[in-house]
Each structure stands twice: as C-alpha cells, then as structure tokens.
C-alpha cells in the first residue's frame, strides 16, 4: 500500500530517537522546558486515499496517524529514561507521559480535508470527496494539527504540536525540537560583522 514507506519511516525515526536521546550525554541537560521552546511532530504524505477512502473514512487522520504514530513519537520525546530497554519498562515511561497530557481544547485543534486543484498536476487534480470510495458529503478530516501539553516537571509550558495529513507537498516523518532564543544573542542582524 502507498503509506507503508511512511510508516516504516516513523518506526525507524522512533528507534533512532530513543538511541540518540538516551545514548548521548549532551541531550540530558538540555532536553527540558528551560531550553526547548516547542516540539513539532510531523507526518505528511504526498498522496490522497487513492481508492482506499472507504477504509480511511471510518477512521480519519486523527485515528489513522495522530493517535498511533505521533503519540508514540511524543512519548519518546517526553518520557524519562527507562531503567532498561525491556518493552515493559519503556511502556511504563510512555504511560506516565500519556497520563500527564492535559485535555486538548478545541482552540488548539485545526482540521481540514484536501480538495483537488483542477489546474494542477494530475495527481493533485482530485480531492478527497472525488474518490469514489468516499461516502458523499463526508466531513472526515484528512489533515489535523493539535497542540498538546505535557503537565510534568520536565515539559510544563512547552507546546507539543502534532501535524499530520494526506495529499500534502511531500513525504515526511519528522521530530523537531526548537530551542529557546539565547539571551543577548550576538548573531542577530544588528550585531553582524564581516567576520561572522
């Protein structure tokens, strides 16, 4: 199926994230609310439902991608180091993160559904509702963004932005931590010199 490479990318990304995060001492002191401004978790597919709309319409992007793959990634970013790599120990740390997530408010969610572009390339000419396997008039989201907050000592106040969608501009599975601005940053345009 068309989405298998993307799902493998998420699984591979998850494995690499765990090894890099807990296998490098440099990340321990900076992996927290004092240094991280926002965490972005993205899953994008460049294709639509392609005849699988009947299946997809029962679940939508939130249940198909966000609650499974992106929440797993959020847990790996936010969890504390487990005592071992035993699956039970890793699961226990993930559960602690999930229990710390504050309820999501409607103001922190954006939903959408892709439409076709008749003037665009053939692959982009049809929208979700143009798929004959999608029920007429469906309002199932094919795109979702949600801001989650992990209410614990390490992450309190840091937004975790989960974004996923179909029929987007590229294939991507990405975890991005954006660090806080440095006070007194000398690299700003006002302070730039020729040697910088």
């Amino acid at each position: 199926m068309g989405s298998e490479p993307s799902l493998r990318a998420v699984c591979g990304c998850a494995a690499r994230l765990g090894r890099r995060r807990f296998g490098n001492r440099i990340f321990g002191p900076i992996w927290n609310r004092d240094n991280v401004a926002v965490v972005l978790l993205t899953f994008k597919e460049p294709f639509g439902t392609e005849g699988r709309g009947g299946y997809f319409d029962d679940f939508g992007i939130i249940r198909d991608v966000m609650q499974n793959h992106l929440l797993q990634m959020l847990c790996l970013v936010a969890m504390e180091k487990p005592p071992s790599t035993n699956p039970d120990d890793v699961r226990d740390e993930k559960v602690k993160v999930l229990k710390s997530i504050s309820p999501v408010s409607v103001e922190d969610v954006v939903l959408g559904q892709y439409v076709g572009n008749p003037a665009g390339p053939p692959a982009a000419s049809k929208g979700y509702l143009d798929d004959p396997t999608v029920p007429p008039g469906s309002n199932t989201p094919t795109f979702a963004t949600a801001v989650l907050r992990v209410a614990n000592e390490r992450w309190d106040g840091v937004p975790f932005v989960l974004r996923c969608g179909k029929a987007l501009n590229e294939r991507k599975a990405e975890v991005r931590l954006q660090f806080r601005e440095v006070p007194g940053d000398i690299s700003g345009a006002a302070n730039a010199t020729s040697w910088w």
Side-chain angles (χ1 to χ4, degrees), residues 162-180:
L162 283 63
R163 310 181 290 189
C164 53
K166 296 187 130 332
L168 297 171
N169 62 331
E170 64 183 333
R171 177 187 307 267
K172 180 186 279 190
E174 177 181 73
V175 175
R176 181 178 295 189
L177 280 74
Q178 181 175 324
F179 289 91
R180 296 191 181 281

Side-chain angles (χ1 to χ4, degrees), residues 46 115-127 130 167-169:
V115 296
N117 178 4
S125 65
K126 299 214 181 274
D130 296 324
L168 297 171
N169 62 331

Side-chain angles (χ1 to χ4, degrees), residues 119-168:
S125 65
K126 299 214 181 274
Y128 181 65
L129 295 177
D130 296 324
D131 183 332
T133 63
V134 172
S138 170
N139 61 3
T140 298
T142 61
F143 173 85
T145 295
V147 180
L148 278 65
R149 291 175 176 79
V150 179
N152 65 19
E153 185 177 0
R154 180 180 295 271
W155 295 111
D156 193 40
V158 176
F160 283 74
V161 182
L162 283 63
R163 310 181 290 189
C164 53
K166 296 187 130 332
L168 297 171

Side-chain angles (χ1 to χ4, degrees), residues 3-193:
S3 63
E4 288 176 359
S6 293
L7 298 180
R8 280 196 295 272
V10 170
C11 294
C13 185
R16 288 188 304 275
L17 176 62
R19 284 194 304 270
R20 288 185 180 147
R21 177 177 173 206
F22 297 122
N24 289 289
R25 294 181 61 191
I26 192 170
F27 292 126
I30 64 171
W31 206 271
N32 58 51
R33 67 182 181 183
D34 296 329
N35 298 290
V36 177
V38 62
V39 178
L40 302 167
L41 302 126
T42 304
F43 182 91
K44 296 165 68 174
E45 293 180 316
F47 51 85
T49 52
E50 299 177 348
R52 293 173 289 131
Y55 163 80
F56 184 84
D57 202 73
D58 288 339
F59 299 97
I61 199 73
I62 294 172
R63 289 176 59 199
D64 187 37
V65 175
M66 190 174 280
Q67 82 166 10
N68 295 319
H69 310 296
L70 291 182
L71 275 181
Q72 286 291 332
M73 299 302 292
L74 181 150
C75 287
L76 289 170
V77 169
M79 74 183 196
E80 297 299 322
K81 184 177 181 179
S84 76
T85 57
N86 177 292
D88 290 340
D89 290 339
V90 174
R91 181 208 56 222
D92 291 348
E93 292 304 321
K94 288 179 177 180
V95 168
K96 289 177 188 176
V97 171
L98 292 172
K99 287 182 175 181
S100 297
I101 295 175
S102 301
V104 180
S105 68
V106 71
E107 293 84 18
D108 289 333
V109 177
V110 174
L111 302 175
Q113 188 180 88
Y114 70 90
V115 296
N117 178 4
S125 65
K126 299 214 181 274
Y128 181 65
L129 295 177
D130 296 324
D131 183 332
T133 63
V134 172
S138 170
N139 61 3
T140 298
T142 61
F143 173 85
T145 295
V147 180
L148 278 65
R149 291 175 176 79
V150 179
N152 65 19
E153 185 177 0
R154 180 180 295 271
W155 295 111
D156 193 40
V158 176
F160 283 74
V161 182
L162 283 63
R163 310 181 290 189
C164 53
K166 296 187 130 332
L168 297 171
N169 62 331
E170 64 183 333
R171 177 187 307 267
K172 180 186 279 190
E174 177 181 73
V175 175
R176 181 178 295 189
L177 280 74
Q178 181 175 324
F179 289 91
R180 296 191 181 281
E181 295 290 326
V182 176
D185 184 7
I186 63 169
S187 65
N191 297 321
T193 62

